[in-house]
């Protein structure tokens, strides 16, 4: 299967496929871990994990939906939400232009895609973040789409899976971005009351406002190996404590060692692991609307 | 960083010194002279007040940030002392430690028992270090949650005083799960069935502030700020230098009047002429009045209604465009 039809399949029926891919073009790709030059199709078959060094390459949302689900999205959730510019924010570039550039670069409407899907045979409400869209940052649209994904799970009695990959809250929407943390956490509270399983999958990198809200609230939290996880960015910490950070600090392995996550699972085992966990938690199937 | 208010404050302080000097002279001189001196005194006093009000009526966003951080501004425990009675401080998260950057306890507001949580700044260098500059570690948020759960169990309203540059970004914070501690507070505060009032008294720095501010009513003092990131942090990232903090503060719209316009806070409590630090008692009295008024309204609601409205409030925040559905 060529990359294009594979992407189309990933996004499922009736869902517009992104115009551009988040990985560089070309038949050969360089691993961001060991710098080995690898045949694109070989990488793709290995779910964008380097066959030489095991590096989990930073893939876009479309690729991740494809590798995690059985058959892409069945139906998109909260499609058509576009970032506004409530603060008329401008630094070296206006926020409006940043959103436009990100849309052109990724073909996405914002930094998360969501839909109903099947993972290893289990029906779920799924949201997957994309780092190429302004660092996967959470503004109003990301917060709303994540919240609506959770609401879909609540209303349809579907387990919720959220794959995070984000630098944190989106500065350009100021306080409104901060409030998305409360919004998504409130929905997580509702899921918890309703005993709907919520699984949080962490990928490289997941930090700050996203880590300090829904990404940390999964009933089960699974990370890809080697992912950078944390509250503050390493640079901020280094500037605060004025000393070098220990090796492996803020990695998925560091989080596991300190009891903050349940599991580290390689991408090649992610689909079956998510399926196995959900089958434990969702059996017997809850009755919707009860 | 240079404080743009310091020149102004120096001038006011000089005026104040003149006033004190004249008072001394008046006290020593005879009656006739005293009348002349007193007239001059009155003139100076009214000039000072006028200067202060005029200066503080036209603060830039960046200047407001400076007022919010003013070293003489009242801190959480100062307000606890001035507004409440019967204070009992409660320590520790029962998991790891007691965090002096977060204070918690029980007290009475006009006779009614409430639980209080809040970040605490220090007044001098030694105390500032002890309080870790009001930047809590995970155990601070977990202590706050423990006391909030206690409040919920005994039907006590919760009052949160927000005053932090942010949660502490350090190795120990990450080791003990600062992100998880804040996230859990956000989730649990959303569904507490007792009234929660939050008031930003100085700095509302990011998740570290929100971690105790998922409330039914969010109030702000006139010269406080509340934002997703500090102006310095934003400037470092987007402008690549913290020197651009004044521009970042403007762009982020983090001052109380701007936030009221955006609609994420419920009320601004005006500060006395010259800011909260110029008149602690007047500031405390105003806060007491507004806390009581909001609490009276919230106490009319059942626990279920409170939770329903609180979730609705935070669920509806955000601005976006929605494309028409194509099919």
């Amino acid at each position: 299967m060529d990359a294009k039809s594979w992407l189309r399949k990933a996004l499922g029926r009736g869902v517009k496929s992104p115009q551009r891919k988040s990985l560089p073009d070309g038949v050969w790709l360089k691993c961001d871990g060991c710098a080995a030059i690898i045949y694109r199709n070989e990488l793709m078959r290995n779910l964008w994990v380097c066959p030489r060094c095991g590096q989990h390459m930073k893939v876009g949302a479309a690729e991740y939906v494809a590798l995690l689900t059985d058959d892409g999205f069945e139906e998109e959730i909260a499609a058509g939400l576009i970032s506004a510019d409530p603060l008329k924010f401008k630094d070296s570039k206006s926020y409006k232009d940043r959103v436009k550039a990100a849309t052109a670069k990724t073909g996405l409407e914002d930094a998360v895609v969501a839909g109903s899907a099947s993972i290893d045979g289990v029906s779920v409400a799924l949201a997957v973040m994309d780092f190429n869209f302004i660092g996967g940052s959470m503004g109003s649209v990301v917060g709303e789409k994540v919240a609506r994904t959770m609401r879909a799970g609540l209303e349809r009695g579907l387990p919720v899976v959220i794959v995070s990959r984000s630098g944190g809250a989106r500065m350009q929407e100021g306080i409104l971005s901060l409030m998305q943390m409360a919004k998504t956490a409130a929905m997580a509270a509702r899921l918890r009351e309703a005993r709907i399983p919520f699984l949080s999958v962490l990928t490289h990198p997941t930090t700050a406002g996203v880590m300090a809200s829904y990404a940390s609230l999964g009933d089960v939290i699974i990370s890809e190996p080697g992912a950078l996880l944390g509250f503050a960015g390493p640079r901020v910490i280094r500037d605060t404590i004025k000393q070098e950070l220990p090796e492996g600090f803020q990695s998925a392995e560091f989080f596991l060692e300190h009891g903050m996550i349940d599991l580290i699972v390689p991408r090649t085992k992610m689909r079956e692991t998510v399926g196995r966990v959900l089958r434990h938690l969702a059996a017997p199937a809850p009755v919707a609307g009860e | 960083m240079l404080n743009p208010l310091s020149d102004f404050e120096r001038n006011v302080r000089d005026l104040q010194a003149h006033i004190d000097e004249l008072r001394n002279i008046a006290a020593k001189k005879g009656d006739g002279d005293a009348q002349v001196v007193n007239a001059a005194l009155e003139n100076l006093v009214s000039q000072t007040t006028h200067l202060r009000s005029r200066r503080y009526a036209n603060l830039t966003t960046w200047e407001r940030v400076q007022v919010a951080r003013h070293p003489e501004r009242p801190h959480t425990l100062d307000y606890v002392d001035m507004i409440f009675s019967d204070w009992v401080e409660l320590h520790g998260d029962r998991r790891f430690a007691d965090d002096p950057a977060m204070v918690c306890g029980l007290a009475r507001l006009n006779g009614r028992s409430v639980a209080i949580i809040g970040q605490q700044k220090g007044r001098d260098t030694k105390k500032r270090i002890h309080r870790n500059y009001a930047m809590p570690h995970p155990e601070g948020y977990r202590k706050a949650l423990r006391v909030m759960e206690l409040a919920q169990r005994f039907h006590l309203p919760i009052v949160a005083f927000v005053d932090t540059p942010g949660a502490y970004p350090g190795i120990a914070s990450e080791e003990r799960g600062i992100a998880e501690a804040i996230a859990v507070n956000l989730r649990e505060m959303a569904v507490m069935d007792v009234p929660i009032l939050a008031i930003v008294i100085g700095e509302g720095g990011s998740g570290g502030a929100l971690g105790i501010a998922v409330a039914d009513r969010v109030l702000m003092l006139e010269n406080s700020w509340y934002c997703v990131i500090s102006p310095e942090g934003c400037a470092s990232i987007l402008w690549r230098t913290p020197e651009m903090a004044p521009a970042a503060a403007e762009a982020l719209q983090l001052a109380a009047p701007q936030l009221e316009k955006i609609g994420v806070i419920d009320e601004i409590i005006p500060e006395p002429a010259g800011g909260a630090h110029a008149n602690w008692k007047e500031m405390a009295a105003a806060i007491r009045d507004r806390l009581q008024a909001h609490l009276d309204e919230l106490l009319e609601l059942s626990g279920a209604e409170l939770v329903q409205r609180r979730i609705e409030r935070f669920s509806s925040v955000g601005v976006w465009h929605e494309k028409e559905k194509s099919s």
Side-chain angles (χ1 to χ4, degrees):
Chain A
M1 198 188 317
D2 68 9
K4 214 165 195 175
S5 61
W6 177 83
L7 269 177
R8 210 171 300 124
K9 172 180 174 274
L11 285 162
R13 294 171 292 278
V15 177
K16 218 170 67 183
S17 79
Q19 307 299 306
R20 314 260 164 95
K21 297 170 287 293
S22 48
L23 290 160
D25 289 320
V27 181
W28 299 92
L29 290 176
K30 192 164 134 186
C31 167
D32 15 284
C34 65
I37 307 291
I38 304 153
Y39 187 44
R40 181 183 198 98
N41 283 352
E42 187 188 353
L43 251 183
M44 197 173 75
R45 267 197 307 277
N46 208 36
L47 309 181
W48 313 101
V49 177
C50 174
R52 311 283 188 283
C53 71
Q55 171 83 1
H56 284 53
M57 294 179 70
K58 226 194 264 171
V59 297
E63 286 91 347
Y64 214 92
V65 171
L67 64 89
L68 186 63
T69 63
D70 301 334
D71 200 18
F73 283 146
E74 288 146 15
E75 187 192 343
E76 256 192 286
I77 293 170
L81 302 193
I82 309 290
S83 281
D85 181 16
L87 305 190
K88 310 241 177 307
F89 195 98
K90 194 167 187 291
D91 49 281
S92 58
K93 219 171 167 187
S94 76
Y95 177 40
K96 264 195 178 130
D97 287 345
R98 274 186 204 276
V99 171
K100 256 188 222 153
T103 303
K105 179 171 141 197
T106 61
L108 300 172
E109 289 173 335
D110 212 294
V112 70
V113 295
S116 54
S118 159
I119 298 178
D120 203 33
V122 183
S123 292
V124 300
L126 170 70
V128 177
M129 302 189 74
D130 194 306
F131 197 79
N132 282 309
F133 200 104
I134 317 186
S137 57
M138 170 166 65
S140 300
V141 168
V142 169
E144 182 66 15
K145 287 182 82 158
V146 167
R148 288 199 198 176
T149 305
M150 290 169 154
R151 184 167 299 141
L154 202 58
E155 284 166 0
R156 303 179 206 173
L158 294 175
V160 175
V161 177
I162 298 180
V163 180
S164 294
R165 189 193 296 278
S166 169
R170 189 172 291 171
M171 284 175 287
Q172 291 89 345
E173 290 184 33
I175 194 87
L176 294 170
S177 297
L178 185 71
M179 293 300 142
Q180 304 310 310
M181 295 169 64
K183 174 192 283 188
T184 54
M187 285 309 294
R190 285 299 198 208
L191 285 176
R192 196 176 165 90
E193 282 175 347
R195 302 186 184 205
I196 304 270
F198 166 32
L199 217 143
S200 174
V201 176
L202 311 179
T203 66
H204 175 75
T206 300
T207 58
V210 167
M211 197 66 207
S213 58
Y214 56 88
S216 284
L217 295 175
D219 293 305
V220 173
I221 305 176
I222 303 177
S223 177
E224 288 194 345
L228 171 78
L229 309 176
F231 176 67
R235 196 166 55 110
V236 176
I237 300 177
R238 214 177 290 125
D239 289 350
T240 307
I241 63 172
K242 315 258 189 267
Q243 60 190 45
E244 278 309 303
L245 302 173
E247 181 137 356
F249 179 64
Q250 291 188 311
S251 62
E253 293 71 18
F254 172 91
F255 261 57
L256 184 72
E257 187 190 328
H258 287 91
M260 303 318 300
I261 58 176
D262 291 280
L263 287 170
I264 294 176
V265 173
R267 193 176 285 167
T268 45
K269 300 265 185 240
M270 194 60 84
R271 187 194 310 202
E272 66 175 85
T273 308
V274 168
R276 185 173 303 144
V277 171
L278 290 181
R279 273 190 294 275
H280 279 304
L281 298 179
V287 180
E290 209 175 68
Chain B
M1 192 166 292
L2 202 70
N3 182 345
L5 277 177
S6 57
D7 280 350
F8 167 73
E9 297 231 314
R10 205 171 304 125
N11 291 341
V12 171
R13 212 162 284 152
D14 288 349
L15 268 174
Q16 195 66 48
H18 274 297
I19 293 170
D20 293 343
E21 199 181 320
L22 280 168
R23 284 215 169 103
N24 276 336
I25 295 169
K28 282 183 205 145
K29 297 264 175 168
D31 280 355
D33 289 334
Q35 261 179 10
V36 178
V37 177
N38 273 333
L41 250 174
E42 256 170 54
N43 184 12
L44 274 179
V45 169
S46 87
Q47 254 191 60
T48 315
T49 313
H50 179 70
L51 263 180
R52 271 207 168 121
S53 325
R54 217 179 52 187
R55 182 70 179 84
Y56 274 77
N58 294 299
L59 294 177
T60 65
T61 306
W62 179 240
E63 285 167 344
R64 272 191 210 280
V65 172
Q66 303 312 311
V67 182
R69 294 170 175 169
H70 199 288
E72 286 152 31
R73 202 171 164 85
H75 299 151
T76 296
L77 285 177
D78 301 318
Y79 287 124
V80 167
D81 188 45
M82 291 186 285
I83 295 171
F84 302 86
S85 60
D86 269 2
W87 166 246
V88 184
E89 185 168 352
L90 303 174
H91 292 276
D93 70 342
R94 301 291 190 275
R95 294 288 179 271
F96 180 79
D98 182 45
D99 188 348
M102 183 82 77
V103 292
C104 302
L106 304 172
R108 283 177 202 278
L109 175 64
N110 298 323
R112 172 186 291 276
S113 286
V114 299
I116 295 171
I117 57 178
Q119 293 98 355
Q120 177 66 32
K121 291 187 172 179
R123 188 69 58 199
D124 56 41
T125 306
K126 211 174 142 194
K127 292 205 176 90
R128 275 196 272 273
I129 292 169
H130 173 63
R131 298 293 182 182
N132 199 33
Y133 303 87
M135 294 189 282
H137 281 74
E139 48 271 25
Y141 293 95
R142 291 181 184 133
K143 170 167 71 171
L145 180 60
R146 180 178 75 83
V147 171
M148 287 191 278
E149 283 170 346
L150 178 77
Q152 173 167 253
R153 212 150 52 243
F154 295 97
H155 308 291
L156 304 180
I158 297 162
V159 181
F161 286 90
V162 177
D163 192 11
T164 179
Y168 187 62
I171 292 179
S173 263
E174 297 286 347
E175 283 175 337
R176 299 197 285 277
I178 185 68
E180 191 262 3
I182 289 173
V184 168
N185 278 20
L186 303 184
R187 183 187 70 203
E188 295 307 311
M189 287 185 86
V191 288
M192 294 234 164
D193 59 5
V194 292
I196 307 178
L197 293 167
I199 173 165
V200 185
I201 57 171
E203 301 192 80
S206 192
L210 184 64
I212 60 165
V214 180
D216 301 301
R217 298 286 160 87
V218 181
L219 318 178
M220 281 181 83
L221 299 193
E222 187 183 351
N223 297 312
S224 60
W225 68 268
Y226 189 13
C227 195
V228 67
I229 188 167
S230 72
E232 289 87 351
C234 178
S236 300
I237 298 170
L238 290 183
W239 279 267
R240 308 211 168 265
T241 163
E243 301 295 312
M244 288 301 285
E250 206 60 62
L252 287 165
Q253 301 193 27
L254 45 68
Q258 295 160 327
L259 296 175
E260 193 183 41
K261 220 160 100 193
I262 296 169
V264 295
I265 64 165
D266 299 283
E267 186 179 319
I268 296 174
I269 304 181
E271 297 190 13
H277 59 279
N279 194 336
W280 284 24
K281 286 219 165 82
E282 194 184 320
M283 189 73 258
I287 294 175
R288 184 198 290 115
D289 279 359
R290 297 318 300 153
L291 286 180
Q292 187 63 55
H294 284 286
L295 188 56
D296 287 343
E297 286 175 25
L298 294 174
L299 285 166
E300 299 283 310
L301 302 171
S302 72
E305 281 172 318
L306 284 169
V307 171
Q308 169 87 33
R309 289 183 189 203
R310 199 180 305 131
I311 289 183
E312 180 48 42
R313 173 206 181 106
F314 286 96
S315 293
S316 63
V317 183
V319 178
W320 59 83
H321 301 302
E322 194 150 6
K323 276 198 218 156
E324 298 254 336
K325 293 231 166 66
S326 48
S327 55

PDB file of all heavy atoms in Angstrom, chain B residues 248-267:
ATOM      1  N   ALA B 248       4.771  41.232  26.405  1.00  0.00           N
ATOM      2  CA  ALA B 248       4.059  39.967  26.584  1.00  0.00           C
ATOM      3  C   ALA B 248       2.857  40.149  27.512  1.00  0.00           C
ATOM      4  O   ALA B 248       1.775  39.625  27.253  1.00  0.00           O
ATOM      5  CB  ALA B 248       5.012  38.910  27.138  1.00  0.00           C
ATOM      6  N   ALA B 249       3.056  40.936  28.580  1.00  0.00           N
ATOM      7  CA  ALA B 249       1.959  41.174  29.524  1.00  0.00           C
ATOM      8  C   ALA B 249       0.783  41.817  28.809  1.00  0.00           C
ATOM      9  O   ALA B 249      -0.382  41.433  29.015  1.00  0.00           O
ATOM     10  CB  ALA B 249       2.441  42.071  30.669  1.00  0.00           C
ATOM     11  N   GLU B 250       1.091  42.785  27.941  1.00  0.00           N
ATOM     12  CA  GLU B 250       0.041  43.464  27.176  1.00  0.00           C
ATOM     13  C   GLU B 250      -0.667  42.471  26.259  1.00  0.00           C
ATOM     14  O   GLU B 250      -1.893  42.405  26.213  1.00  0.00           O
ATOM     15  CB  GLU B 250       0.690  44.596  26.370  1.00  0.00           C
ATOM     16  CG  GLU B 250      -0.228  45.738  26.026  1.00  0.00           C
ATOM     17  CD  GLU B 250      -0.808  46.416  27.266  1.00  0.00           C
ATOM     18  OE1 GLU B 250      -0.043  46.962  28.083  1.00  0.00           O
ATOM     19  OE2 GLU B 250      -2.041  46.395  27.401  1.00  0.00           O
ATOM     20  N   ALA B 251       0.129  41.666  25.534  1.00  0.00           N
ATOM     21  CA  ALA B 251      -0.438  40.733  24.562  1.00  0.00           C
ATOM     22  C   ALA B 251      -1.284  39.651  25.237  1.00  0.00           C
ATOM     23  O   ALA B 251      -2.304  39.226  24.713  1.00  0.00           O
ATOM     24  CB  ALA B 251       0.684  40.088  23.747  1.00  0.00           C
ATOM     25  N   LEU B 252      -0.851  39.223  26.406  1.00  0.00           N
ATOM     26  CA  LEU B 252      -1.544  38.123  27.095  1.00  0.00           C
ATOM     27  C   LEU B 252      -2.856  38.576  27.745  1.00  0.00           C
ATOM     28  O   LEU B 252      -3.687  37.739  28.104  1.00  0.00           O
ATOM     29  CB  LEU B 252      -0.633  37.529  28.184  1.00  0.00           C
ATOM     30  CG  LEU B 252       0.532  36.672  27.690  1.00  0.00           C
ATOM     31  CD1 LEU B 252       1.540  36.457  28.809  1.00  0.00           C
ATOM     32  CD2 LEU B 252       0.041  35.331  27.155  1.00  0.00           C
ATOM     33  N   GLN B 253      -3.032  39.879  27.911  1.00  0.00           N
ATOM     34  CA  GLN B 253      -4.244  40.421  28.547  1.00  0.00           C
ATOM     35  C   GLN B 253      -4.515  39.776  29.889  1.00  0.00           C
ATOM     36  O   GLN B 253      -5.566  39.178  30.115  1.00  0.00           O
ATOM     37  CB  GLN B 253      -5.438  40.276  27.616  1.00  0.00           C
ATOM     38  CG  GLN B 253      -5.195  40.999  26.286  1.00  0.00           C
ATOM     39  CD  GLN B 253      -6.463  41.140  25.462  1.00  0.00           C
ATOM     40  OE1 GLN B 253      -7.555  41.182  26.001  1.00  0.00           O
ATOM     41  NE2 GLN B 253      -6.299  41.209  24.152  1.00  0.00           N
ATOM     42  N   LEU B 254      -3.534  39.898  30.766  1.00  0.00           N
ATOM     43  CA  LEU B 254      -3.593  39.142  32.009  1.00  0.00           C
ATOM     44  C   LEU B 254      -4.062  39.949  33.218  1.00  0.00           C
ATOM     45  O   LEU B 254      -4.164  39.436  34.326  1.00  0.00           O
ATOM     46  CB  LEU B 254      -2.212  38.526  32.296  1.00  0.00           C
ATOM     47  CG  LEU B 254      -0.969  39.410  32.112  1.00  0.00           C
ATOM     48  CD1 LEU B 254      -0.895  40.515  33.124  1.00  0.00           C
ATOM     49  CD2 LEU B 254       0.284  38.550  32.140  1.00  0.00           C
ATOM     50  N   ALA B 255      -4.374  41.251  33.013  1.00  0.00           N
ATOM     51  CA  ALA B 255      -4.808  42.067  34.152  1.00  0.00           C
ATOM     52  C   ALA B 255      -6.306  41.899  34.398  1.00  0.00           C
ATOM     53  O   ALA B 255      -7.058  41.530  33.494  1.00  0.00           O
ATOM     54  CB  ALA B 255      -4.481  43.528  33.890  1.00  0.00           C
ATOM     55  N   ALA B 256      -6.712  42.176  35.630  1.00  0.00           N
ATOM     56  CA  ALA B 256      -8.091  41.917  36.043  1.00  0.00           C
ATOM     57  C   ALA B 256      -9.133  42.540  35.096  1.00  0.00           C
ATOM     58  O   ALA B 256     -10.078  41.847  34.691  1.00  0.00           O
ATOM     59  CB  ALA B 256      -8.289  42.389  37.484  1.00  0.00           C
ATOM     60  N   PRO B 257      -8.989  43.819  34.713  1.00  0.00           N
ATOM     61  CA  PRO B 257     -10.024  44.409  33.846  1.00  0.00           C
ATOM     62  C   PRO B 257     -10.142  43.683  32.504  1.00  0.00           C
ATOM     63  O   PRO B 257     -11.245  43.518  31.976  1.00  0.00           O
ATOM     64  CB  PRO B 257      -9.534  45.847  33.636  1.00  0.00           C
ATOM     65  CG  PRO B 257      -8.589  46.112  34.761  1.00  0.00           C
ATOM     66  CD  PRO B 257      -7.968  44.805  35.096  1.00  0.00           C
ATOM     67  N   GLN B 258      -8.988  43.226  31.972  1.00  0.00           N
ATOM     68  CA  GLN B 258      -9.016  42.511  30.686  1.00  0.00           C
ATOM     69  C   GLN B 258      -9.695  41.150  30.850  1.00  0.00           C
ATOM     70  O   GLN B 258     -10.464  40.715  29.997  1.00  0.00           O
ATOM     71  CB  GLN B 258      -7.587  42.336  30.167  1.00  0.00           C
ATOM     72  CG  GLN B 258      -6.924  43.673  29.837  1.00  0.00           C
ATOM     73  CD  GLN B 258      -5.411  43.589  29.791  1.00  0.00           C
ATOM     74  OE1 GLN B 258      -4.792  42.816  30.523  1.00  0.00           O
ATOM     75  NE2 GLN B 258      -4.801  44.387  28.938  1.00  0.00           N
ATOM     76  N   LEU B 259      -9.431  40.501  31.967  1.00  0.00           N
ATOM     77  CA  LEU B 259     -10.003  39.172  32.191  1.00  0.00           C
ATOM     78  C   LEU B 259     -11.503  39.253  32.425  1.00  0.00           C
ATOM     79  O   LEU B 259     -12.254  38.357  32.044  1.00  0.00           O
ATOM     80  CB  LEU B 259      -9.310  38.490  33.374  1.00  0.00           C
ATOM     81  CG  LEU B 259      -7.824  38.218  33.135  1.00  0.00           C
ATOM     82  CD1 LEU B 259      -7.175  37.668  34.384  1.00  0.00           C
ATOM     83  CD2 LEU B 259      -7.636  37.256  31.974  1.00  0.00           C
ATOM     84  N   GLU B 260     -11.932  40.360  33.041  1.00  0.00           N
ATOM     85  CA  GLU B 260     -13.371  40.525  33.240  1.00  0.00           C
ATOM     86  C   GLU B 260     -14.057  40.686  31.884  1.00  0.00           C
ATOM     87  O   GLU B 260     -15.142  40.148  31.656  1.00  0.00           O
ATOM     88  CB  GLU B 260     -13.651  41.733  34.142  1.00  0.00           C
ATOM     89  CG  GLU B 260     -15.092  41.760  34.646  1.00  0.00           C
ATOM     90  CD  GLU B 260     -15.390  42.993  35.465  1.00  0.00           C
ATOM     91  OE1 GLU B 260     -14.920  44.091  35.078  1.00  0.00           O
ATOM     92  OE2 GLU B 260     -16.090  42.871  36.484  1.00  0.00           O
ATOM     93  N   LYS B 261     -13.399  41.408  30.998  1.00  0.00           N
ATOM     94  CA  LYS B 261     -13.950  41.613  29.660  1.00  0.00           C
ATOM     95  C   LYS B 261     -14.027  40.288  28.898  1.00  0.00           C
ATOM     96  O   LYS B 261     -15.000  40.015  28.201  1.00  0.00           O
ATOM     97  CB  LYS B 261     -13.073  42.618  28.895  1.00  0.00           C
ATOM     98  CG  LYS B 261     -13.885  43.597  28.064  1.00  0.00           C
ATOM     99  CD  LYS B 261     -13.097  44.845  27.724  1.00  0.00           C
ATOM    100  CE  LYS B 261     -12.529  44.786  26.319  1.00  0.00           C
ATOM    101  NZ  LYS B 261     -11.508  45.837  26.077  1.00  0.00           N
ATOM    102  N   ILE B 262     -13.001  39.466  29.029  1.00  0.00           N
ATOM    103  CA  ILE B 262     -12.991  38.155  28.363  1.00  0.00           C
ATOM    104  C   ILE B 262     -14.065  37.249  28.983  1.00  0.00           C
ATOM    105  O   ILE B 262     -14.559  36.327  28.355  1.00  0.00           O
ATOM    106  CB  ILE B 262     -11.586  37.511  28.460  1.00  0.00           C
ATOM    107  CG1 ILE B 262     -10.558  38.353  27.711  1.00  0.00           C
ATOM    108  CG2 ILE B 262     -11.576  36.100  27.901  1.00  0.00           C
ATOM    109  CD1 ILE B 262      -9.109  37.945  27.965  1.00  0.00           C
ATOM    110  N   GLY B 263     -14.425  37.527  30.218  1.00  0.00           N
ATOM    111  CA  GLY B 263     -15.534  36.808  30.834  1.00  0.00           C
ATOM    112  C   GLY B 263     -15.135  35.580  31.638  1.00  0.00           C
ATOM    113  O   GLY B 263     -15.959  34.700  31.865  1.00  0.00           O
ATOM    114  N   VAL B 264     -13.883  35.500  32.072  1.00  0.00           N
ATOM    115  CA  VAL B 264     -13.491  34.323  32.847  1.00  0.00           C
ATOM    116  C   VAL B 264     -13.491  34.587  34.354  1.00  0.00           C
ATOM    117  O   VAL B 264     -13.305  33.656  35.132  1.00  0.00           O
ATOM    118  CB  VAL B 264     -12.110  33.771  32.437  1.00  0.00           C
ATOM    119  CG1 VAL B 264     -12.145  33.263  31.017  1.00  0.00           C
ATOM    120  CG2 VAL B 264     -11.029  34.801  32.606  1.00  0.00           C
ATOM    121  N   ILE B 265     -13.679  35.851  34.758  1.00  0.00           N
ATOM    122  CA  ILE B 265     -13.791  36.116  36.189  1.00  0.00           C
ATOM    123  C   ILE B 265     -15.126  36.804  36.461  1.00  0.00           C
ATOM    124  O   ILE B 265     -15.749  37.366  35.559  1.00  0.00           O
ATOM    125  CB  ILE B 265     -12.617  36.971  36.733  1.00  0.00           C
ATOM    126  CG1 ILE B 265     -12.619  38.360  36.089  1.00  0.00           C
ATOM    127  CG2 ILE B 265     -11.290  36.272  36.498  1.00  0.00           C
ATOM    128  CD1 ILE B 265     -11.746  39.357  36.828  1.00  0.00           C
ATOM    129  N   ASP B 266     -15.552  36.750  37.717  1.00  0.00           N
ATOM    130  CA  ASP B 266     -16.885  37.242  38.036  1.00  0.00           C
ATOM    131  C   ASP B 266     -16.894  38.684  38.519  1.00  0.00           C
ATOM    132  O   ASP B 266     -17.874  39.391  38.326  1.00  0.00           O
ATOM    133  CB  ASP B 266     -17.495  36.358  39.126  1.00  0.00           C
ATOM    134  CG  ASP B 266     -17.617  34.937  38.655  1.00  0.00           C
ATOM    135  OD1 ASP B 266     -18.537  34.657  37.877  1.00  0.00           O
ATOM    136  OD2 ASP B 266     -16.760  34.102  39.029  1.00  0.00           O
ATOM    137  N   GLU B 267     -15.842  39.097  39.173  1.00  0.00           N
ATOM    138  CA  GLU B 267     -15.879  40.429  39.758  1.00  0.00           C
ATOM    139  C   GLU B 267     -14.470  40.918  40.060  1.00  0.00           C
ATOM    140  O   GLU B 267     -13.598  40.146  40.430  1.00  0.00           O
ATOM    141  CB  GLU B 267     -16.685  40.386  41.066  1.00  0.00           C
ATOM    142  CG  GLU B 267     -16.897  41.734  41.686  1.00  0.00           C
ATOM    143  CD  GLU B 267     -17.719  41.664  42.973  1.00  0.00           C
ATOM    144  OE1 GLU B 267     -18.704  40.911  43.023  1.00  0.00           O
ATOM    145  OE2 GLU B 267     -17.346  42.373  43.928  1.00  0.00           O
TER     146      GLU B 267
END
